[in-house]
Amino acid sequence: MFGSVYHQDAGPLSFRERVRTTGWGILTPAGSISRVTGILAASLFWAISAHAANVDVAIVFAVDFSSSIDPKIADMQREGHAAALTSPEIIAAISRNYVGCIGVAYFEWSSPGHARVVLPWTSICGLEDAKAAAAVISRKGDTGFIRRGRGGTSVSSAIDIGSLLLDQFPGKAAKKVIDISSNGENNDGLPVQPSRSNAIAKGYTINAIAIPTEDENPDEPLASYFARSVIGGSQAFVMTPKGPDDYTMALRRKLVTEVSMNDERPL
């Protein structure tokens, strides 16, 4: 069954009540992990940008690939994003917008200095575009088998990297979103609050999908932490799936809300 939706600083709410987040890091084309900073990082983002133009919404998928992400969770995240992007509900939501296109980028992150771009900025204006983007994510996304050296979970880095990618979006977008998927709290790198505040100040929305762990404390679920400390911006929200099958459904419903400019009612 479908999981819960949390509003910032609150408990479970209806889907229409939303939440958010931000991060900073180092991006390279898929297949490598390296360290870059400041202007060098910004230049790199421009170099790896794919085709993108004016769109209704620009979304950065920030996907956790820290040492806690095993093959099962990695598959769930990778294939969940691919399936959600190509779903009829998403394609319909995109087509109902003013421009009829969205811009998407997909990167994986863990501890500070460890991140990689899987899908650079790409315009999706219909099913064929979505299928092409999904194929890249499926082919190049993390499998969870090589986890040595990945380190901890730096949500602050994820927000900073996502924010920098949105800064470098090669076009105009009416709405810009950082979309975090993770199974853990910030336990490495800088505190989340400055990164979060910086992204919100730029007008970006931080949403999240919190993946519960088997030993999660029911009195303090991960989604509550994300609602309280990570998400933010206009109509921000965090969702939590109840299982692997529910992840794709939760992600799809979240994306419908994120990409819809004319009608934000979830399916």
Side-chain angles (χ1 to χ4, degrees):
M1 188 59 185
F2 188 67
S4 302
V5 180
Y6 288 72
H7 189 281
Q8 197 169 11
D9 298 322
L13 295 172
S14 68
F15 191 91
R16 295 182 186 179
E17 300 171 290
R18 332 268 167 78
V19 204
R20 83 160 264 190
T21 94
T22 17
W24 162 257
I26 301 142
L27 301 185
T28 62
S32 63
I33 298 175
S34 65
R35 295 176 178 271
V36 294
T37 56
I39 296 176
L40 180 58
S43 299
L44 179 59
F45 291 143
W46 276 112
I48 63 175
S49 293
H51 299 292
N54 294 345
V55 298
D56 294 291
V57 185
I59 303 175
V60 177
F61 297 115
V63 179
D64 187 350
F65 79 151
S66 63
S67 58
S68 64
I69 302 298
D70 60 24
K72 181 179 179 180
I73 298 176
D75 287 348
M76 183 179 71
Q77 291 188 115
R78 186 183 66 253
E79 297 306 328
H81 280 82
L85 278 176
T86 56
S87 67
E89 295 88 347
I90 298 300
I91 302 305
I94 293 171
S95 68
R96 289 195 298 264
N97 286 339
Y98 305 111
V99 177
C101 297
I102 64 171
V104 299
Y106 183 110
F107 76 92
E108 297 169 337
W109 56 274
S110 57
S111 56
H114 291 79
R116 65 171 194 155
V117 170
V118 172
L119 178 74
W121 280 119
T122 301
S123 292
I124 295 179
C125 304
L127 182 57
E128 293 308 310
D129 293 338
K131 286 181 176 179
V136 173
I137 293 171
S138 293
R139 185 174 69 252
K140 296 184 178 181
D142 177 50
T143 62
F145 284 103
I146 303 174
R147 291 184 279 165
R148 179 176 297 178
R150 292 282 175 83
T153 303
S154 181
V155 178
S156 59
S157 291
I159 293 174
D160 285 336
I161 296 171
S163 183
L164 184 53
L165 273 171
L166 289 176
D167 292 346
Q168 298 294 332
F169 178 70
K172 294 181 179 180
K175 181 167 66 173
K176 293 184 175 182
V177 179
I178 300 170
D179 199 332
I180 294 179
S181 176
S182 178
N183 70 343
E185 299 184 8
N186 189 70
N187 60 23
D188 199 358
L190 298 173
V192 173
Q193 187 57 44
S195 298
R196 176 178 178 273
S197 297
N198 180 60
I200 294 172
K202 292 179 180 180
Y204 303 156
T205 295
I206 304 167
N207 294 329
I209 184 163
I211 304 170
T213 59
E214 293 182 358
D215 59 350
E216 181 174 85
N217 181 355
D219 295 327
E220 186 60 30
L222 180 62
S224 294
Y225 165 77
F226 272 82
R228 181 177 64 253
S229 304
V230 179
I231 63 170
S234 177
Q235 297 181 319
F237 63 98
V238 58
M239 302 188 72
T240 181
K242 291 187 176 180
D245 294 337
D246 191 42
Y247 181 88
T248 299
M249 183 184 299
L251 183 59
R252 187 197 71 213
R253 295 189 62 170
K254 184 160 68 69
L255 282 176
V256 167
T257 302
E258 289 172 340
V259 307
S260 297
M261 301 294 291
N262 300 324
D263 182 2
E264 294 194 358
R265 291 174 298 177
L267 299 176

